[in-house]
Amino acid sequence: MARFTLPRDIYYGKNALDELKHIEGKKAVVVVGGGSMKRAGFLDKVVNNLKEAGLETRLIENVEPDPSITTVMNGAKTMREFQPDWIVAIGGGSPIDAAKAMWIFYEYPDIKFEDAIKPFSLPTLRTKAHFIAIPSTSGTATEVTAFSVITDYDKGIKYPLADFNLTPDIAIIDPAIAETMPPKLTAHTGMDALTHAVEAYVSTAASVFTNPLAMKAIDIIFDNLENSYKGDMVARERVHYAQCLAGMAFSNGLLGIVHSMAHKTGAVFKNGHVVHGAANAMYLPYVIQYNAKDPATAKRYANIANVLNIKYSSNEEAVQKLCDEIQELSTNLNIPLALKDYENGMVPEDEFLAKLPDIAKNSLLDACTFSNPRQPNQEEMEKLLKCIYYGKKVDF
């Protein structure tokens, strides 16, 4: 038996934020990031709409990119003091993911983080509060997913929390908020969404319910992401909806080793973070080449090529042309094609090679690895990471 879970309600389109005026409750805590939502006026709109609905509100502000365990625990403490019956998170993936994790420790303060990261093992949520997610970026789709990603900075590892309990009750997809994204963020989040859709389509947990969502997301993103990056707001709106479709697909169909490696390389290098969406963009073509050594998976990639109107004479050619199309899109979005070229050499070769065994080991243990269509061992994972670093074709 399988399961397909989505938010109870998804409100989308212009002025979707106004739905907050109709929320029934007593108290709402609003979780937000570093200030962009405040500067753009959307935070005030959220708070004013909640007040119009009769809810007392309190803010948890300044959630950092790649939120930490400390941020989560501090936010949960604030929630326990305030006792909200609604948690409202607005912003990119970071504040929404942080708010999801805060929700766990608000309702169950005695749970340890080590227990929370065990996949699909959380106790029942909604004993104290329901959850509303309002994304400002067009990539993570955490507003419709059963996942949250939290970083342990002591270990330099991002941990995905996975449980259907974490799926928000309400998602509000207002395209006006996505208009605030700068070009670089538009590029990175868009490629994150594309990776979600591609990985969900070839996942071992893909299904008749997830496949159409993944395929439609791929089609829309390829047609619109570059124009969205250039400032076309009609294209921006289409990508904002497509990333949500991709989220519905991967929340139920799961992901693969592109995300495993992105999680484990994001915070491990001393010179800075490898931004998640950029990592996905760089890693995806190499993982496609690796996975396509399995003939059944190669056929799945050929199906994607068909949707994109790529002409080919064999599945092998379809895979190569699909990789070429993805890398051409990355190039047009000013994303490098190899990790060694990321941010002008932010990841030195000696540091990469020194940390390679641990990165590979941790990637293998990541929850996303288990639904990848081809299961690598330690040696293969290290070889794949080297191909990604140097930009070499995967031939094993």
Side-chain angles (χ1 to χ4, degrees), residues 65-67 150-159 261-276 279 283 346 351 355 359:
D66 301 313
I150 304 300
T151 301
D152 184 333
Y153 283 93
D154 291 335
K155 296 180 180 178
I157 294 176
K158 292 184 178 183
Y159 288 101
M261 293 186 291
H263 291 153
K264 284 6 182 193
T265 54
V268 75
F269 299 113
K270 63 184 179 181
N271 290 336
H273 282 73
V274 181
V275 174
H276 182 70
Y283 304 173
M346 189 197 82
E351 184 186 9
K355 293 180 175 178
I359 293 171

Side-chain angles (χ1 to χ4, degrees), residues 65-389:
D66 301 313
S68 66
I69 297 173
T70 300
T71 293
V72 168
M73 296 306 177
N74 288 340
K77 181 175 182 290
T78 298
M79 290 181 185
R80 290 194 295 270
E81 293 168 353
F82 185 58
Q83 291 291 305
D85 47 5
W86 283 100
I87 299 168
V88 181
I90 180 171
S94 295
I96 298 176
D97 279 4
K100 285 182 175 181
M102 292 172 192
W103 188 17
I104 298 169
F105 299 102
Y106 166 44
E107 299 206 0
Y108 296 95
D110 295 330
I111 287 182
K112 296 180 180 180
F113 184 78
E114 292 76 15
D115 295 326
I117 63 176
K118 296 175 183 176
F120 299 96
S121 63
L122 292 178
T124 300
L125 294 177
R126 296 166 180 83
T127 62
K128 295 182 179 179
H130 288 76
F131 196 99
I132 300 172
I134 308 166
S136 65
T137 62
S138 302
T140 69
T142 189
E143 74 276 4
V144 294
T145 76
F147 301 98
S148 165
V149 179
I150 304 300
T151 301
D152 184 333
Y153 283 93
D154 291 335
K155 296 180 180 178
I157 294 176
K158 292 184 178 183
Y159 288 101
L161 283 64
D163 197 286
F164 287 116
N165 275 291
L166 292 174
T167 306
D169 298 282
I170 296 173
I172 296 178
I173 319 295
D174 194 322
I177 305 177
E179 292 179 5
T180 63
M181 289 191 299
K184 192 170 187 177
L185 183 60
T186 301
H188 290 169
T189 56
M191 292 303 290
D192 189 18
L194 178 65
T195 304
H196 288 156
V198 172
E199 288 210 291
Y201 184 72
V202 300
S203 162
T204 58
S207 74
V208 67
F209 291 94
T210 61
N211 289 339
L213 293 166
M215 278 296 205
K216 190 61 179 176
I218 292 167
D219 188 22
I220 295 172
I221 292 167
F222 258 99
D223 277 351
N224 291 279
L225 180 54
E226 189 174 345
N227 286 335
S228 175
Y229 173 72
K230 294 176 180 177
D232 181 336
M233 293 306 162
V234 173
R236 181 77 53 89
E237 179 176 0
R238 290 170 181 159
V239 173
H240 201 46
Y241 298 153
Q243 65 88 30
C244 188
L245 298 178
M248 296 179 201
F250 91 78
S251 184
N252 293 278
L254 305 181
L255 293 168
I257 58 175
V258 177
H259 273 78
S260 301
M261 293 186 291
H263 291 153
K264 284 6 182 193
T265 54
V268 75
F269 299 113
K270 63 184 179 181
N271 290 336
H273 282 73
V274 181
V275 174
H276 182 70
N280 283 340
M282 289 186 287
Y283 304 173
L284 179 58
Y286 304 98
V287 171
I288 289 174
Q289 292 170 12
Y290 173 80
N291 286 341
K293 300 302 179 184
D294 169 60
T297 307
K299 179 65 171 67
R300 301 285 284 175
Y301 290 128
N303 292 343
I304 295 175
N306 288 335
V307 167
L308 300 178
N309 294 315
I310 294 172
K311 306 301 180 185
Y312 60 90
S313 57
S314 66
N315 289 344
E316 182 179 6
E317 184 182 8
V319 167
Q320 186 55 54
K321 286 189 173 182
L322 176 61
C323 292
D324 291 343
E325 289 284 341
I326 293 169
Q327 291 194 318
E328 181 179 353
L329 179 58
S330 287
T331 298
N332 292 341
L333 299 174
N334 289 309
I335 298 173
L337 305 183
L339 185 56
K340 67 181 176 61
D341 299 320
Y342 180 72
E343 292 294 329
N344 299 311
M346 189 197 82
V347 182
E349 182 179 32
D350 57 348
E351 184 186 9
F352 169 78
L353 293 174
K355 293 180 175 178
L356 176 60
D358 283 341
I359 293 171
K361 178 183 177 181
N362 289 327
S363 297
L364 288 170
L365 295 173
D366 189 274
C368 294
T369 298
F370 304 107
S371 47
N372 195 71
R374 186 181 174 199
Q375 288 296 303
N377 57 31
Q378 176 75 19
E379 181 184 3
E380 288 175 332
M381 186 64 84
E382 289 188 26
K383 288 171 67 177
L384 181 55
L385 283 160
K386 283 185 177 180
C387 290
I388 287 167
Y389 185 82

